[in-house]
Amino acid sequence: MRTGKILHALGLAAVVIFSLFPFFWMVAASFKSQADILASPPVWFFTPTLDNYAQIFSDTKVSGAIINSLIVAAFATLLSVVLGTPAAFALARYDFRGKSDLWFWFISNRMTSPIVLALPVYLLAMYMNLLDTHLVLVLVYLTFNIPIVVWIVTDQFKSIPPDLEQAARLDGADQFTIFRKIYLPLGAPGIAVSAIFSFIFSWNELLYALVLTRRAAQTAPVVATSFMSGYELPWGKIMATGTVIVLPVTIFALIVSRHMVRGLTMGATK
């Protein structure tokens, strides 16, 4: 029994180390000089330097891209929750014609590979004169964020006992009141989780941002890839930019991790 627990712990430790090693390597490389990064065999002990961070923070292109990422991710998340939550309520509580087709449409939007739609979306944005704007990224991100919200929140709403709704109806509450005073408060953990995932997906998205933006609306992941040009790759600058991009989302996810677990498991305990 004890041997099994030890093996289980060792297995978990191996998975954690394997998962976190790329992140550790990126952060460590961001504090190395170019010579230490390119050294072979790899240098494990080195003199840390902040030169890479000094370069990216003195570059207005990086700070502007981070602001663009914040604007796009915040609006895409807000609109996804505002539009997706009522849709989840309808799918959870009502039976209507085409419900299964609508549900499949939401899920298929999330399953579709972005590269398949990149060219049509680019042409559509070009004809509508939306290229290199925040609006086009927000609209595109809604296509895969709303299914996430619907998927998570529908399961959350289904876990709420229907007796509460029936009791509210007997007291004369209309449908909007029931949604606002019963489903929104009790479904808050699931809504919060879906908002967190929407923000993370919008913050990290690269392909659409690379295709649809040039300079004015470039997001942080696009700027990080723009350093990879020519014959010399500034790996230290790239790794420092990657660390700056990942760090806020990582800290945010660690802070809300307890609420994420609660929100994801509530629908399974009805």
Side-chain angles (χ1 to χ4, degrees):
M1 186 68 180
R2 188 174 178 180
T3 304
K5 288 183 177 179
I6 293 174
L7 291 175
H8 181 70
L10 290 175
L12 288 177
V15 171
V16 171
I17 292 172
F18 179 78
S19 302
L20 293 181
F21 185 76
F23 181 70
F24 163 76
W25 190 259
M26 178 181 70
V27 175
S30 70
F31 290 102
K32 290 181 179 179
S33 65
Q34 184 78 351
D36 287 337
I37 294 174
L38 298 178
S40 180
V43 176
W44 292 96
F45 300 99
F46 57 91
T47 303
T49 176
L50 294 175
D51 289 349
N52 299 317
Y53 288 95
Q55 289 182 37
I56 65 168
F57 284 121
S58 63
D59 190 343
T60 56
K61 188 169 68 172
V62 176
S63 57
I66 292 175
I67 293 173
N68 287 337
S69 289
L70 282 173
I71 293 173
V72 171
F75 277 98
T77 301
L78 178 64
L79 289 175
S80 299
V81 172
V82 169
L83 298 175
T85 303
F89 175 68
L91 288 169
R93 283 302 177 219
Y94 296 103
D95 289 323
F96 52 87
R97 187 176 182 182
K99 177 180 175 179
S100 59
D101 297 329
L102 182 61
W103 175 259
F104 178 77
W105 180 75
F106 277 121
I107 301 305
S108 62
N109 277 346
R110 188 68 188 99
M111 293 189 298
T112 304
S113 174
I115 193 66
V116 175
L117 301 175
L119 181 58
V121 169
Y122 173 82
L123 294 175
L124 189 61
M126 184 178 67
Y127 289 131
M128 298 178 70
N129 200 25
L130 290 176
L131 288 177
D132 204 17
T133 63
H134 297 115
L135 178 60
V136 70
L137 291 181
V138 172
L139 293 175
V140 171
Y141 292 172
L142 288 179
T143 62
F144 55 80
N145 281 343
I146 288 179
I148 288 291
V149 175
V150 170
W151 195 353
I152 295 175
V153 179
T154 297
D155 192 47
Q156 185 86 70
F157 283 163
K158 284 181 178 177
S159 68
I160 297 173
D163 294 344
L164 293 176
E165 181 177 346
Q166 293 172 6
R169 288 187 186 282
L170 291 176
D171 289 338
D174 57 23
Q175 198 59 54
F176 180 72
T177 303
I178 292 172
F179 173 68
R180 183 169 60 87
K181 292 191 174 181
I182 294 178
Y183 283 90
L184 281 184
L186 295 179
I191 297 171
V193 168
S194 64
I196 292 166
F197 278 120
S198 296
F199 186 86
I200 292 175
F201 289 142
S202 301
W203 180 270
N204 292 336
E205 202 283 328
L206 173 62
L207 179 63
Y208 285 126
L210 195 62
V211 172
L212 299 173
T213 62
R214 292 295 176 268
R215 186 172 182 81
Q218 273 190 337
T219 57
V222 177
V223 168
T225 60
S226 69
F227 296 142
M228 294 186 291
S229 61
Y231 295 100
E232 183 179 355
L233 295 176
W235 286 112
K237 196 174 176 181
I238 294 171
M239 295 300 175
T241 306
T243 303
V244 171
I245 294 171
V246 170
L247 208 54
V249 178
T250 304
I251 295 172
F252 179 62
L254 290 175
I255 292 173
V256 301
S257 58
R258 184 166 59 88
H259 302 287
M260 289 176 67
V261 173
R262 181 177 171 224
L264 288 171
T265 55
M266 274 192 70
T269 57
K270 62 182 179 179

